[in-house]
Amino acid sequence: MDCLLDAFGPVPLEGGSRAEIMSFAIRWVAGKIGEPGVGDAFAGVFSDAVSDPELREILSSRFQDPYRIMLQDVLGEPEHVVLFYIDVIVGTLLHRLGMTGEPMVDADVDALVELVLPAFR
């Protein structure tokens, strides 16, 4: 878990509008998951957490919560909305990695951004 936290680090959010910030965040997390070994480690921890409540708590509190809180503050959205978008975005990226063994290609990341952005315009 510590290695995963180190690999991701803080999100360097960029952009002026909510749509620009969300677009940057999606591309940033896609890039991180696409880094050699990072997506594999994330998927492994995530998979183990399914049957391990203590690991789920660590994953939630130490990994997801800092990003969630930051996005809530920047986007002005309630927790349940931000959590839903995290599920949609990260879930999609990890599903692709798990199904193909490869991170999502840029054109598909672009399509994911375009799918999510209308909610932030």
Side-chain angles (χ1 to χ4, degrees), residues 86-109:
I86 290 171
D87 288 346
V88 168
I89 295 159
V90 175
T92 300
L93 294 166
L94 288 178
H95 181 268
R96 175 62 61 88
L97 184 64
M99 295 304 293
T100 67
E102 299 290 330
M104 195 173 275
V105 297
D106 289 342
D108 290 340
V109 173

Short mmCIF file of all heavy atoms in Angstrom, two decimals, residues 86-109:
data_model
loop_
_atom_site.label_atom_id
_atom_site.label_comp_id
_atom_site.label_asym_id
_atom_site.label_seq_id
_atom_site.Cartn_x
_atom_site.Cartn_y
_atom_site.Cartn_z
N ILE A 86 -15.38 8.66 -9.23
CA ILE A 86 -14.17 7.86 -9.01
C ILE A 86 -14.43 6.42 -9.41
O ILE A 86 -13.61 5.80 -10.10
CB ILE A 86 -13.70 7.96 -7.54
CG1 ILE A 86 -13.15 9.36 -7.24
CG2 ILE A 86 -12.66 6.89 -7.22
CD1 ILE A 86 -12.86 9.63 -5.77
N ASP A 87 -15.57 5.87 -9.02
CA ASP A 87 -15.92 4.49 -9.40
C ASP A 87 -15.96 4.33 -10.91
O ASP A 87 -15.40 3.37 -11.46
CB ASP A 87 -17.28 4.09 -8.82
CG ASP A 87 -17.27 3.88 -7.33
OD1 ASP A 87 -16.19 3.77 -6.74
OD2 ASP A 87 -18.38 3.82 -6.75
N VAL A 88 -16.63 5.25 -11.58
CA VAL A 88 -16.78 5.15 -13.03
C VAL A 88 -15.42 5.24 -13.73
O VAL A 88 -15.09 4.43 -14.60
CB VAL A 88 -17.74 6.25 -13.56
CG1 VAL A 88 -17.67 6.37 -15.07
CG2 VAL A 88 -19.16 5.99 -13.09
N ILE A 89 -14.62 6.21 -13.34
CA ILE A 89 -13.36 6.46 -14.03
C ILE A 89 -12.32 5.40 -13.70
O ILE A 89 -11.77 4.75 -14.60
CB ILE A 89 -12.84 7.88 -13.68
CG1 ILE A 89 -13.81 8.92 -14.24
CG2 ILE A 89 -11.42 8.09 -14.19
CD1 ILE A 89 -13.72 10.27 -13.59
N VAL A 90 -12.05 5.20 -12.42
CA VAL A 90 -11.02 4.23 -12.03
C VAL A 90 -11.47 2.82 -12.37
O VAL A 90 -10.68 2.00 -12.84
CB VAL A 90 -10.65 4.38 -10.54
CG1 VAL A 90 -9.67 3.31 -10.11
CG2 VAL A 90 -10.07 5.77 -10.28
N GLY A 91 -12.75 2.54 -12.16
CA GLY A 91 -13.27 1.22 -12.51
C GLY A 91 -13.10 0.91 -13.98
O GLY A 91 -12.71 -0.20 -14.36
N THR A 92 -13.37 1.88 -14.82
CA THR A 92 -13.22 1.70 -16.27
C THR A 92 -11.75 1.45 -16.63
O THR A 92 -11.43 0.55 -17.41
CB THR A 92 -13.75 2.93 -17.02
OG1 THR A 92 -15.14 3.09 -16.72
CG2 THR A 92 -13.55 2.81 -18.51
N LEU A 93 -10.87 2.24 -16.05
CA LEU A 93 -9.43 2.09 -16.35
C LEU A 93 -8.90 0.74 -15.87
O LEU A 93 -8.15 0.08 -16.60
CB LEU A 93 -8.65 3.23 -15.71
CG LEU A 93 -8.93 4.63 -16.28
CD1 LEU A 93 -8.37 5.69 -15.36
CD2 LEU A 93 -8.40 4.75 -17.70
N LEU A 94 -9.30 0.31 -14.68
CA LEU A 94 -8.83 -0.98 -14.16
C LEU A 94 -9.47 -2.14 -14.91
O LEU A 94 -8.82 -3.17 -15.13
CB LEU A 94 -9.10 -1.10 -12.66
CG LEU A 94 -8.23 -0.24 -11.77
CD1 LEU A 94 -8.65 -0.41 -10.31
CD2 LEU A 94 -6.76 -0.55 -11.95
N HIS A 95 -10.71 -1.99 -15.32
CA HIS A 95 -11.37 -3.04 -16.10
C HIS A 95 -10.61 -3.27 -17.41
O HIS A 95 -10.33 -4.40 -17.79
CB HIS A 95 -12.83 -2.68 -16.37
CG HIS A 95 -13.55 -3.71 -17.14
ND1 HIS A 95 -13.64 -3.70 -18.51
CD2 HIS A 95 -14.22 -4.82 -16.72
CE1 HIS A 95 -14.34 -4.74 -18.92
NE2 HIS A 95 -14.70 -5.44 -17.85
N ARG A 96 -10.28 -2.18 -18.09
CA ARG A 96 -9.54 -2.30 -19.35
C ARG A 96 -8.20 -3.00 -19.11
O ARG A 96 -7.82 -3.90 -19.85
CB ARG A 96 -9.32 -0.93 -19.96
CG ARG A 96 -8.46 -0.91 -21.23
CD ARG A 96 -9.06 -1.68 -22.40
NE ARG A 96 -10.33 -1.15 -22.80
CZ ARG A 96 -10.50 -0.19 -23.69
NH1 ARG A 96 -9.47 0.34 -24.30
NH2 ARG A 96 -11.72 0.24 -23.97
N LEU A 97 -7.49 -2.60 -18.07
CA LEU A 97 -6.20 -3.20 -17.76
C LEU A 97 -6.36 -4.69 -17.48
O LEU A 97 -5.59 -5.52 -17.97
CB LEU A 97 -5.56 -2.49 -16.56
CG LEU A 97 -4.17 -2.94 -16.15
CD1 LEU A 97 -3.16 -2.65 -17.26
CD2 LEU A 97 -3.76 -2.23 -14.87
N GLY A 98 -7.39 -5.03 -16.70
CA GLY A 98 -7.62 -6.44 -16.37
C GLY A 98 -8.04 -7.29 -17.55
O GLY A 98 -7.68 -8.45 -17.65
N MET A 99 -8.81 -6.71 -18.44
CA MET A 99 -9.32 -7.47 -19.59
C MET A 99 -8.31 -7.61 -20.72
O MET A 99 -8.34 -8.59 -21.45
CB MET A 99 -10.61 -6.81 -20.13
CG MET A 99 -11.76 -6.84 -19.15
SD MET A 99 -12.20 -8.49 -18.54
CE MET A 99 -12.83 -9.24 -20.02
N THR A 100 -7.43 -6.63 -20.86
CA THR A 100 -6.49 -6.66 -21.99
C THR A 100 -5.04 -6.82 -21.57
O THR A 100 -4.19 -7.14 -22.40
CB THR A 100 -6.60 -5.36 -22.82
OG1 THR A 100 -6.13 -4.26 -22.02
CG2 THR A 100 -8.02 -5.12 -23.30
N GLY A 101 -4.74 -6.56 -20.30
CA GLY A 101 -3.36 -6.56 -19.86
C GLY A 101 -2.61 -5.31 -20.25
O GLY A 101 -1.41 -5.19 -20.00
N GLU A 102 -3.32 -4.37 -20.83
CA GLU A 102 -2.72 -3.11 -21.30
C GLU A 102 -3.51 -1.93 -20.75
O GLU A 102 -4.73 -2.01 -20.62
CB GLU A 102 -2.73 -3.04 -22.83
CG GLU A 102 -1.95 -4.14 -23.52
CD GLU A 102 -0.46 -4.00 -23.34
OE1 GLU A 102 0.02 -2.85 -23.20
OE2 GLU A 102 0.23 -5.03 -23.34
N PRO A 103 -2.82 -0.82 -20.48
CA PRO A 103 -3.57 0.38 -20.07
C PRO A 103 -4.39 0.92 -21.23
O PRO A 103 -4.14 0.58 -22.40
CB PRO A 103 -2.48 1.36 -19.66
CG PRO A 103 -1.25 0.89 -20.33
CD PRO A 103 -1.39 -0.59 -20.52
N MET A 104 -5.35 1.72 -20.93
CA MET A 104 -6.21 2.32 -21.94
C MET A 104 -5.38 3.24 -22.85
O MET A 104 -4.57 4.02 -22.37
CB MET A 104 -7.31 3.12 -21.24
CG MET A 104 -8.46 3.50 -22.14
SD MET A 104 -9.80 4.27 -21.21
CE MET A 104 -10.69 2.81 -20.67
N VAL A 105 -5.60 3.11 -24.15
CA VAL A 105 -4.89 3.95 -25.12
C VAL A 105 -5.45 5.36 -25.07
O VAL A 105 -6.58 5.60 -24.62
CB VAL A 105 -4.97 3.38 -26.56
CG1 VAL A 105 -4.29 2.01 -26.63
CG2 VAL A 105 -6.40 3.31 -27.05
N ASP A 106 -4.68 6.32 -25.56
CA ASP A 106 -5.05 7.73 -25.49
C ASP A 106 -6.42 8.03 -26.10
O ASP A 106 -7.20 8.81 -25.54
CB ASP A 106 -3.99 8.60 -26.16
CG ASP A 106 -2.70 8.68 -25.37
OD1 ASP A 106 -2.71 8.35 -24.16
OD2 ASP A 106 -1.67 9.08 -25.96
N ALA A 107 -6.73 7.41 -27.24
CA ALA A 107 -8.02 7.68 -27.88
C ALA A 107 -9.17 7.24 -26.98
O ALA A 107 -10.22 7.91 -26.93
CB ALA A 107 -8.10 6.96 -29.23
N ASP A 108 -8.99 6.15 -26.26
CA ASP A 108 -10.05 5.69 -25.36
C ASP A 108 -10.11 6.54 -24.09
O ASP A 108 -11.19 6.75 -23.54
CB ASP A 108 -9.85 4.21 -25.02
CG ASP A 108 -10.12 3.31 -26.22
OD1 ASP A 108 -10.81 3.75 -27.16
OD2 ASP A 108 -9.65 2.16 -26.21
N VAL A 109 -8.98 7.04 -23.63
CA VAL A 109 -8.99 7.98 -22.50
C VAL A 109 -9.73 9.25 -22.94
O VAL A 109 -10.55 9.79 -22.18
CB VAL A 109 -7.56 8.30 -22.00
CG1 VAL A 109 -7.59 9.40 -20.95
CG2 VAL A 109 -6.90 7.05 -21.45
#
